[in-house]
Amino acid sequence: METYTDTKHHIQLHDLLFVTLFSEKQVQERVQELGAALTLKYRDKNPLFVSILSGAFVFAADLMRAFDGNCTVGFVKLASYSGTQSTGKVQTVMGLENDLEGRHIIVVEDIVDSGRTLHFFLRHLREQKPASICTVAFLRKPDSLEFPVDVEYVGFDIDNRFVVGYGLDYDGLGRNLAGVYQLQE
Ligand code: 5GP
Ligand code: MG
């Protein structure tokens, strides 16, 4: 099915209709704030931004450009298998090429839902003896959290509804939308 926009506020992707949750302007303002906060803390620490693929690549690209100081970037691809909610495991499909020992790591995630992905990934990172780890999530659904995970910086807390845009997809589509859109009920 074709993707089309019927107004600025409604987007259809495949069979579903989405409505604006955050405009491009709101998103960009918040990302600048997060970048400024990270700059205060990490300006002279040459942090390593670790972007979790695929969804976080858009956020990571903007966030690291909102960071004023030397920094590097790396990418990981994780796959979560959720046979049952409680035994769901997360597997690394594509690992980091960077040496993490002694580095200040800023994990960049698109959205924290159950927390499963981050919970397992942070455990894996800690084994590699970085100097510090913090997590930045563009979005978080507080009502869905099942796994204990600390997220130091959050773009927006949102309701437990499916969203697309700014890197997030519905069956492949929607990642290129500059704003965030929520499934229409
Ligand atoms: P968690 O491991 O925290 O349950 O899930 C995190 C991952 O699930 C996110 O990185 C994202 O890929 C996916 N996810 C969770 N909620 C949404 C949503 O509302 N929209 C989209 N597109 N993906 C989501
Ligand atoms: Mg993700």
Side-chain angles (χ1 to χ4, degrees):
M1 195 181 282
E2 290 291 305
T3 301
Y4 69 90
T5 310
D6 64 354
T7 74
K8 275 202 166 97
H9 304 291
H10 292 78
I11 298 271
Q12 180 162 355
L13 301 173
H14 300 295
D15 56 328
L16 297 180
L17 203 58
F18 295 84
V19 295
T20 304
L21 182 62
F22 302 116
S23 67
E24 175 175 11
K25 185 165 176 284
Q26 286 175 296
V27 168
Q28 289 302 325
E29 283 175 1
R30 188 69 187 116
V31 172
Q32 292 306 313
E33 287 173 4
L34 292 171
L38 290 172
T39 300
L40 278 179
K41 193 167 166 192
Y42 291 98
R43 188 196 289 278
D44 300 316
K45 295 198 162 91
N46 184 22
L48 169 62
F49 287 83
V50 174
S51 169
I52 302 182
L53 296 173
S54 301
F57 82 104
V58 173
F59 177 44
D62 284 345
L63 187 66
M64 74 177 296
R65 284 178 294 175
F67 178 80
D68 186 12
N70 287 335
C71 62
T72 56
V73 66
F75 301 90
V76 284
K77 193 165 178 66
L78 309 171
S80 50
Y81 296 97
S82 47
T84 71
Q85 298 277 41
S86 54
T87 60
K89 286 242 174 71
V90 174
Q91 191 188 41
T92 305
V93 173
M94 185 187 106
L96 278 170
E97 291 167 0
N98 316 62
D99 183 4
L100 304 190
E101 194 170 339
R103 295 297 304 272
H104 294 277
I105 312 292
I106 301 173
V107 176
V108 183
E109 178 60 309
D110 50 2
I111 183 166
V112 178
D113 187 15
S114 70
R116 176 187 293 118
T117 310
L118 266 183
H119 177 80
F120 284 93
F121 182 58
L122 290 174
R123 211 163 71 177
H124 169 74
L125 276 187
R126 278 184 213 107
E127 288 165 6
Q128 301 181 54
K129 311 257 184 291
S132 70
I133 304 176
C134 86
T135 300
V136 188
F138 174 58
L139 300 173
R140 179 173 62 182
K141 294 176 176 172
D143 296 341
S144 307
L145 205 63
E146 294 173 38
F147 292 78
V149 54
D150 290 328
V151 183
E152 285 82 1
Y153 301 90
V154 177
F156 301 98
D157 277 322
I158 63 170
D159 291 344
N160 191 11
R161 273 163 74 179
F162 190 74
V163 293
V164 294
Y166 202 62
L168 290 155
D169 74 307
Y170 166 48
D171 200 11
L173 297 181
R175 295 195 196 277
N176 58 327
L177 297 167
V180 176
Y181 297 79
Q182 190 171 47
L183 184 62
Q184 190 168 58
E185 307 229 296

